[in-house]
Amino acid sequence: MYALVDCNNFFVSCERAFQPELEGKAVVVLSNNDGCVVARSNESKAMGIKMGVPFFQIRNLSDSGRLVVKSSNYVLYGDISRRVMSILRSEAPRLEVYSIDEAFMDLTGVDPATHRSFCLDLVRKVRLWTGIPVSVGIAPSKTLAKVANHFAKRYPGYRGVCTIDTDEKRIKALSLTPVGDVWGIGRRVAPKLEAMGIRTALDFVNMPREWVKGKLGIMGARTWMELQGSDAVPREELEARKTICTSRSFADPIPDLEELSLRVSDFAAICARKLRKENTAAGRVTVFMFTNRFRDDLPQYYPALSVPLDVPANSNQEIVNAALKGLRAIFKEGYGYKKAGVIVDEIIPESQIQGSLFDENAEMRERENVISELMDRFNTSDRSLLRLASQRPGHYAEGIRREHCSKLFSTSWDEMIEVR
Amino acid sequence: MKKDIDEIREITAALAAGGEMLPQMASEGIHAGFPSPAQDYMSGVIDLNRELVRHPEATFYGRVVGDSMRDAGVEEGDVLVIDKALEPQEGDMVVCSIDGEFALKRISFSGKGVSGAKEASRQKVSYNILGRRDIWLMSANPKYRPIHVEEGNDFTVWGTVTYIIKKIK
């Protein structure tokens, strides 16, 4: 059995954990650059604010004080996510972290009779230790665990934990689940299925497997299997691991930070482009450089540093930003650098970056990445015609708009909560 | 892909040749990440993270503002080590949130030392996470009167204070 642990309205919950005055209020969190809504509290959902709505359309609500608007504070969310995942891992070592706010727990070894109480304890513990409310869906397959999780969230009666462990419960849950809400069935496919009279997940599983395979391919057939209760999503798929590296030797050694920053920005942008091409995203960016090791007469320095990303990313902006952060941390004056490079790893399929900027709203994602894509079109692998203005040293985070950003409550000595 | 692997080999070889470190994780300063007590762990070094932080996932820090705990030696600017994993006990110093604000208080379930505690405790308190009826919040400064948590208050104990860090130089 799997338990899908999902944080409720994660970004909003992170904000509330350190700003109790936000409790009970309508709150939304905006995407990078304060572009559009990426997270909503239940109160703002009830006001009819949709995911992905541009900020300017709801500005009047925030101006009139009916809505609290927050810029995304990914450092805070990343730290809280690590804490939540660490707690889960200490309780169930076989944990697959699926996104910043979701993880699958393998319940093998836990007595089935105690699954529910085990998970209720977990919900309580995460809430108490971090302030974050979570919901758990328990089922024999990951896709069904997702379905169960929706019910755990929707109906308070479950107290945060819903189990699908009998055929009766499974069929009832599927009959109440619109086919478009099923994990793995995209919003693009759903209208087609509905046009064929397949409205609920139950309608879907009642179709013959061969029919599903013919219409939706092997992935669709797998979703069908999963909804039948068999575990068909392999673990490896959630953990595709690979590395992309871009590096160059320089004709003349580069001694200064400014020039090196431009080069490293380019390398990082190339890595980001490769990620986008493969529809993947990286969780970590490493920058390294070498002096000329064949010149015994010169001082030698071979630094390297890995910068973890709070949310796996593939936009030029984020990858370049991380690489430059790393570069600034390891750069030392007084050396001639002969070679430098950027490595990205902890790579996952883009579709797995959930609850953040990607999966929830394709339209929004396009908006976020339009610049990166434009750059792809103009830039060849060796020459960058278009660069981010911020691919220059010293100008990074300043370029990003974050007018409503909360503090780094949990990670910065100067920004901790104030207590009277 | 082949090229990538070659690259990595080359880098690894070069790093080894230089006798320098392999890529290391960025320190907190870079990532502003969660300080793992296991990180950079060396024997023979007193690691304050390890000594002062019993539950890393549940430990947060807070800055004292004001003088409400003056007589307990807590002053403005002090840093509180706050452990959210601990269940508050009678007399513990806690950070609580009451009606949307953080407050530093001593918590009491008996109202011991509070004049008129008995009368006030007759009012019902329906909401508190501790599942106890009476909660008193006491300052360590005569300027501030004890607070009895009432039904209308939005109240939670946010965390228990385990250490106070004071800068004296």
Side-chain angles (χ1 to χ4, degrees):
Chain A
M1 294 288 269
Y2 290 101
L4 172 64
V5 184
D6 191 6
C7 302
N8 303 350
N9 309 331
F10 182 57
F11 296 171
V12 171
S13 296
C14 289
E15 297 286 344
R16 279 183 173 162
F18 300 92
Q19 299 161 96
E21 70 272 19
L22 300 181
E23 210 61 59
K25 291 198 181 140
V27 182
V28 296
V29 174
L30 302 175
S31 62
N32 266 340
N33 239 4
D34 289 352
C36 42
V37 172
V38 291
R40 303 163 296 163
S41 70
N42 289 344
E43 296 80 3
S44 47
K45 287 177 189 170
M47 282 166 73
I49 296 170
K50 296 268 178 283
M51 201 72 173
V53 168
F55 176 42
F56 69 83
Q57 287 183 13
I58 52 166
R59 174 163 262 157
N60 58 329
L61 290 174
S62 95
D63 289 346
S64 66
R66 278 180 289 165
L67 179 70
V68 181
V69 169
K70 291 281 165 189
S71 302
S72 41
N73 184 344
Y74 285 123
V75 175
L76 176 67
Y77 311 153
D79 177 53
I80 302 304
S81 171
R82 269 189 293 280
R83 290 168 187 254
V84 171
M85 297 308 169
S86 169
I87 294 167
L88 298 181
R89 197 170 285 114
S90 71
E91 298 293 328
R94 294 178 65 181
L95 188 79
E96 295 170 52
V97 176
Y98 180 66
S99 70
I100 191 166
D101 58 357
E102 258 178 306
F104 288 103
M105 262 171 21
D106 187 341
L107 292 179
T108 310
V110 181
D111 175 8
T114 66
H115 279 170
R116 183 173 162 82
S117 61
F118 175 83
C119 290
L120 282 170
D121 286 349
L122 209 58
V123 169
R124 195 184 150 271
K125 185 173 179 183
V126 173
R127 178 68 193 247
L128 193 67
W129 284 39
T130 65
I132 301 298
V134 301
S135 302
V136 185
I138 306 171
S141 72
K142 290 185 179 127
T143 309
L144 279 176
K146 280 256 193 192
V147 172
N149 194 285
H150 279 295
F151 285 93
K153 278 211 179 66
R154 202 170 313 148
Y155 302 104
Y158 287 113
R159 290 193 291 140
V161 179
C162 172
T163 312
I164 298 179
D165 56 354
T166 63
D167 239 23
E168 195 191 339
K169 287 185 198 166
R170 181 177 69 88
I171 293 191
K172 182 161 184 221
L174 293 181
S175 72
L176 292 169
T177 303
V179 72
D181 286 358
V182 173
W183 187 43
I185 295 181
R187 293 192 203 288
R188 253 166 293 161
V189 179
K192 289 180 197 160
L193 291 172
E194 280 161 20
M196 290 182 266
I198 298 165
R199 290 192 179 80
T200 67
L202 186 64
D203 295 338
F204 180 73
V205 292
N206 282 340
M207 300 306 287
R209 184 171 188 274
E210 286 314 306
W211 183 90
V212 171
K213 202 174 165 187
K215 291 278 180 215
L216 302 179
I218 188 94
M219 296 302 277
R222 213 166 67 177
T223 300
W224 183 88
M225 295 269 292
E226 284 257 317
L227 291 176
Q228 303 285 1
S230 35
D231 182 14
V233 176
R235 189 186 167 94
E236 307 81 68
E237 198 151 307
L238 295 168
E239 291 184 348
R241 233 168 249 277
K242 230 184 69 184
T243 295
I244 295 172
C245 174
T246 307
S247 67
R248 301 275 184 278
S249 292
F250 310 127
D252 297 307
I254 299 176
D256 65 302
L257 180 59
E258 194 145 335
E259 180 63 22
L260 214 49
S261 297
L262 283 173
R263 304 300 186 104
V264 165
S265 299
D266 286 346
F267 301 153
I270 292 168
C271 290
R273 173 146 32 109
K274 286 184 184 167
L275 290 168
R276 290 195 299 275
K277 219 167 157 183
E278 296 170 7
N279 299 317
T280 55
R284 191 164 69 160
V285 179
T286 300
V287 58
F288 64 88
M289 53 231 197
F290 311 139
T291 48
N292 189 344
R293 65 192 150 112
F294 301 111
R295 291 287 301 272
D296 296 342
D297 54 322
L298 295 175
Q300 299 288 312
Y301 182 40
Y302 308 89
L305 190 76
S306 298
V307 180
L309 299 173
D310 300 306
V311 182
N314 62 12
S315 72
N316 282 11
Q317 227 170 331
E318 284 161 290
I319 303 292
V320 171
N321 186 11
L324 288 180
K325 256 190 200 170
L327 173 65
R328 282 198 290 270
I330 56 176
F331 177 82
K332 275 196 210 161
E333 299 268 358
Y335 298 93
Y337 296 96
K338 180 71 182 149
K339 178 168 184 155
V342 172
I343 303 168
V344 296
D345 64 352
E346 293 183 359
I347 293 173
I348 59 162
E350 199 178 75
S351 58
Q352 283 178 23
I353 309 168
Q354 271 212 332
S356 54
L357 304 176
F358 292 86
D359 217 36
E360 289 281 351
N361 191 309
E363 195 188 329
M364 181 167 69
R365 203 205 122 204
E366 271 160 35
R367 223 172 287 144
E368 290 280 325
N369 272 349
V370 74
I371 298 168
S372 298
E373 274 156 27
L374 205 63
M375 292 170 84
D376 284 353
R377 220 170 300 156
F378 280 90
N379 296 346
T380 60
S381 59
D382 291 324
R383 206 162 291 243
S384 294
L385 297 172
L386 273 185
R387 274 196 183 125
L388 292 172
S390 37
Q391 259 165 269
R392 302 245 171 86
H395 284 281
Y396 234 79
E398 294 95 271
I400 295 177
R401 226 164 118 157
R402 284 177 166 183
E403 281 174 11
H404 315 277
C405 200
S406 49
K407 293 180 179 176
L408 301 177
F409 297 110
S410 64
T411 57
S412 167
W413 187 255
D414 296 319
E415 300 185 26
M416 58 183 71
I417 60 163
E418 291 187 345
V419 187
R420 275 175 195 281
Chain B
M1 188 63 205
K2 169 96 173 46
K3 200 171 143 262
D4 286 342
I5 292 167
D6 290 346
E7 285 271 6
I8 303 277
R9 277 214 191 98
E10 191 190 329
I11 294 153
T12 318
L15 287 169
E20 282 280 337
M21 65 267 181
L22 284 166
Q24 60 185 34
M25 293 302 279
S27 66
E28 274 73 63
I30 303 303
H31 182 49
F34 180 60
S36 160
Q39 194 178 318
D40 297 330
Y41 202 58
M42 287 186 287
S43 62
V45 171
I46 292 174
D47 180 347
L48 289 180
N49 267 329
R50 192 183 177 221
E51 300 302 328
L52 306 190
V53 179
R54 212 166 99 203
H55 303 106
E57 298 94 341
T59 298
F60 298 88
Y61 301 88
R63 182 85 58 185
V64 176
V65 178
D67 58 358
S68 74
M69 294 308 266
R70 190 195 64 194
D71 297 346
V74 184
E75 299 164 294
E76 176 143 331
D78 289 354
V79 170
L80 310 168
V81 180
I82 307 161
D83 190 336
K84 284 168 76 81
L86 301 175
E87 191 186 329
Q89 307 294 321
E90 174 76 24
D92 278 354
M93 196 182 289
V94 298
V95 172
C96 50
S97 96
I98 181 155
D99 299 334
E101 275 184 46
F102 285 127
L104 181 63
K105 301 285 173 191
R106 277 199 194 283
I107 195 163
S108 170
F109 305 102
S110 63
K112 213 171 131 191
V114 180
S115 61
K118 266 193 185 149
E119 295 83 84
S121 69
R122 270 189 221 118
Q123 302 169 43
K124 268 194 185 153
V125 180
S126 62
Y127 174 62
N128 67 65
I129 59 155
L130 302 163
R132 301 198 204 207
R133 218 182 123 203
D134 270 307
I135 295 176
W136 292 91
L137 302 173
M138 272 125 39
S139 299
N141 185 336
K143 238 164 78 181
Y144 305 95
R145 302 182 46 157
I147 298 167
H148 184 246
V149 179
E150 308 290 341
E151 194 170 356
N153 292 131
D154 187 1
F155 172 82
T156 54
V157 173
W158 196 79
T160 302
V161 176
T162 52
Y163 289 90
I164 295 154
I165 302 169
K166 202 179 272 291
K167 184 168 179 175
I168 58 164
K169 195 177 176 187

